[in-house]
Amino acid sequence: MPTKVIIGAQWGDEGKAKIIDILSEKADVVVRCQGGNNAGHTVAVDGDVYKFQLIPSGILYSGKKCVVGNGVVIDPEGILSEIDGLVAKHIDVSTLRISSRAHLVMPYHKALDKAKETIAAQDGKDIGTTMKGIGPCYMDKAERSGIRVCDLYHEEVFAQKVRENVKVKNAMLKYVYNQEIQFDAEEIITNYKKYAERLKQYVDDTTVTVYEAIKEGKEVLFEGAQGTLLDLDLGTYPYVTSSHPITGGACIGAGIGPTMIDECIGVMKGYITRVGKGPFPTELHDEIGDRIREEGHEFGTVTGRPRRCGWFDAVIGEFAVRTSGLTQIALNKIDVLKDLEKVKICVAYEFNGERIKYFPASLEDLELCKPVYEELEGWGDISHIRTYQELPESVKKYLTRIEELCGCKITMVGVGPNRDQNIIIE
Ligand code: GDP
Ligand code: IMO
Ligand code: MG
């Protein structure tokens, strides 16, 4: 059975969870590889809506192993409340496995995230993070002062690490960020001890779980969070997240080699959205942008913030295909563009009098890029359609043009939020 990495190919919220949920029916294992509870993954099944932040979106099918890999940063309080929420809905979570190597989000990470953003906002320099402590947690990981899940089960080691960190973080909060908030190491130790007891049954060496599943020929899905342009290396730095949402991130974040991946699926929307700050060449500041936001319910899953909306950008699409080696595109939310006389695709940027087709590294250059649009015919309501053949010709032309420009085939088309509102293109 093939292994598939499913990533966001834009700025996140492309509908990755919906695709994971659909593919999970035939899969055996679903693995989250990076990010944390900054992610908000929505699955709609027969009128019920489920929101996941740390738990893989495959959990709705019973018996599927759901792995939170070593590359994820785990807020124990967050994951426990997700577990409780699922149990209350009678969903079996006994198949959950949490990597002993994953780093822990600590209360001071959240306070530092908030402090840095609040101060930066005074000069308009905030990133617009989810304030979940993701950046500060990955900073500690890279600095080698982070605390991992396995540390929870070595009481003295854990206590020592918390005490050392609290000393440094309290000083940062007080002297660098001028904040009143101070943390009590002993209180954190006591609280995390309780979390540790509850989480123990799920903790494992997940690199073994994943490797063995692949060796046994089981179908393994790797569930990306965020999106390509939020990648720490390849995204619109510094307006990015602190992990690697591209397909390469799945290898590191799950502890597998690249030879073990068969398919790389990039999830895109038929248009594009962004939450938080940073450049966005095809952003719409008009009534079409508002209409897409309303029709597509484009409000953040985690923070409720309105998402910025714009036309499909094929420069970004090609960038994602190239940097993630995509073998398939799943194109969601085509239904949202209904009843527009014309739809537009950005085919290139005009930069300093020249046409460019490559996404620039410098934000200053990107700000100067003007999208070059191609106009295509619009379509009506397609939310009831379930086969490619039944799609209007205008939709087929839109899909073909996106395939040509991005250099990758579209194999799935989303026509609504529900599990069944999806067209498979053979
Ligand atoms: P993720 O973070 O990539 O998993 O995406 P989110 O869950 O944050 O946002 C995607 C939103 O679009 C969710 O509310 C989904 O239920 C919804 N959605 C997914 N696919 C489609 C689609 O094809 N059409 C419509 N109308 N909604 C969709
Ligand atoms: P899913 O998995 C969309 C954005 C934030 C902010 C930037 C940095 O649901 O697609 P962070 O809290 O990570 O330090 O914030 O990244 N961001 C997302 N945007 N979807 C997400 O996840 C996101 N996770 C983070 O809005 O601009
Ligand atoms: Mg989301």
Side-chain angles (χ1 to χ4, degrees), residues 93-369:
V93 291
S94 63
T95 55
L96 182 66
R97 296 288 175 273
I98 297 172
S99 170
S100 45
R101 290 183 173 85
H103 279 248
L104 291 166
V105 174
M106 307 297 289
Y108 46 77
H109 290 139
K110 289 183 257 190
L112 286 165
D113 198 352
K114 195 169 165 200
K116 185 163 190 279
E117 282 284 274
T118 310
I119 288 177
Q122 290 167 2
D123 301 321
K125 287 190 172 160
D126 53 321
I127 288 166
T129 74
T130 57
M131 308 257 193
K132 297 287 181 185
I134 306 298
C137 184
Y138 279 117
M139 275 168 73
D140 280 2
K141 176 177 176 173
E143 200 223 17
R144 290 150 296 175
S145 57
I147 307 181
R148 299 187 296 164
V149 169
C150 56
D151 297 327
L152 288 169
Y153 304 100
H154 295 273
E155 268 186 44
E156 266 319 300
V157 174
F158 181 75
Q160 173 100 1
K161 288 189 177 184
V162 173
R163 286 182 195 122
E164 280 165 13
N165 268 290
V166 164
K167 211 185 289 171
V168 177
K169 306 313 188 215
N170 275 346
M172 277 172 77
L173 285 163
K174 189 169 176 186
Y175 300 112
V176 179
Y177 295 118
N178 209 15
Q179 302 288 304
E180 279 178 16
I181 186 166
Q182 293 285 285
F183 288 91
D184 176 359
E186 303 316 310
E187 194 183 320
I188 295 177
I189 293 164
T190 309
N191 288 339
Y192 273 61
K193 200 173 163 184
K194 286 185 213 144
Y195 302 147
E197 277 160 26
R198 287 201 58 202
L199 288 173
K200 195 167 185 184
Q201 59 180 308
Y202 307 111
V203 175
D204 213 341
D205 183 341
T206 55
T207 61
V208 177
T209 319
V210 175
Y211 183 72
E212 288 190 341
I214 295 174
K215 270 212 328 198
E216 284 165 22
K218 298 210 162 125
E219 177 147 336
V220 182
L221 305 177
F222 298 91
E223 175 175 356
Q226 289 79 53
T228 301
L229 290 180
L230 290 170
D231 186 277
L232 184 58
D233 270 55
L234 294 156
T236 44
Y237 190 90
Y239 297 98
V240 293
T241 192
S242 302
S243 67
H244 294 290
I246 58 166
T247 50
C251 289
I252 299 168
I256 56 150
T259 49
M260 291 177 194
I261 296 169
D262 299 309
E263 291 286 339
C264 294
I265 306 175
V267 187
M268 303 182 184
K269 283 192 248 215
Y271 47 96
I272 206 161
T273 64
R274 168 160 216 180
V275 236
K277 292 197 164 183
F280 181 173
T282 64
E283 183 169 11
L284 288 163
H285 298 282
D286 57 9
E287 68 276 10
I288 296 183
D290 295 340
R291 192 166 153 179
I292 293 175
R293 186 175 308 106
E294 290 306 319
E295 192 65 43
H297 306 290
E298 295 295 357
F299 296 89
T301 315
V302 178
T303 57
R305 291 177 290 179
R307 295 174 182 153
R308 300 154 65 193
C309 300
W311 293 117
F312 187 90
D313 186 334
V315 177
I316 289 174
E318 192 274 341
F319 182 74
V321 169
R322 186 155 42 86
T323 54
S324 270
L326 298 182
T327 57
Q328 302 177 35
I329 293 170
L331 194 70
N332 276 327
K333 301 192 102 163
I334 287 290
D335 56 298
V336 172
L337 298 176
K338 71 174 181 189
D339 300 337
L340 294 168
E341 206 180 311
K342 299 277 181 195
V343 286
K344 291 185 187 179
I345 297 178
C346 166
V347 296
Y349 299 148
E350 208 165 273
F351 174 64
N352 286 341
E354 271 180 53
R355 269 194 182 197
I356 59 163
K357 290 196 173 175
Y358 299 114
F359 197 78
S362 148
L363 294 200
E364 287 68 30
D365 290 349
L366 193 55
E367 292 287 358
L368 298 176
C369 286

Side-chain angles (χ1 to χ4, degrees), residues 11-17 38-42 52 225-226 269 275 299-302 307:
W11 268 296
D13 303 326
E14 300 89 347
K16 297 176 288 296
N38 48 349
H41 293 179
T42 318
F52 303 106
Q226 289 79 53
K269 283 192 248 215
V275 236
F299 296 89
T301 315
V302 178
R307 295 174 182 153

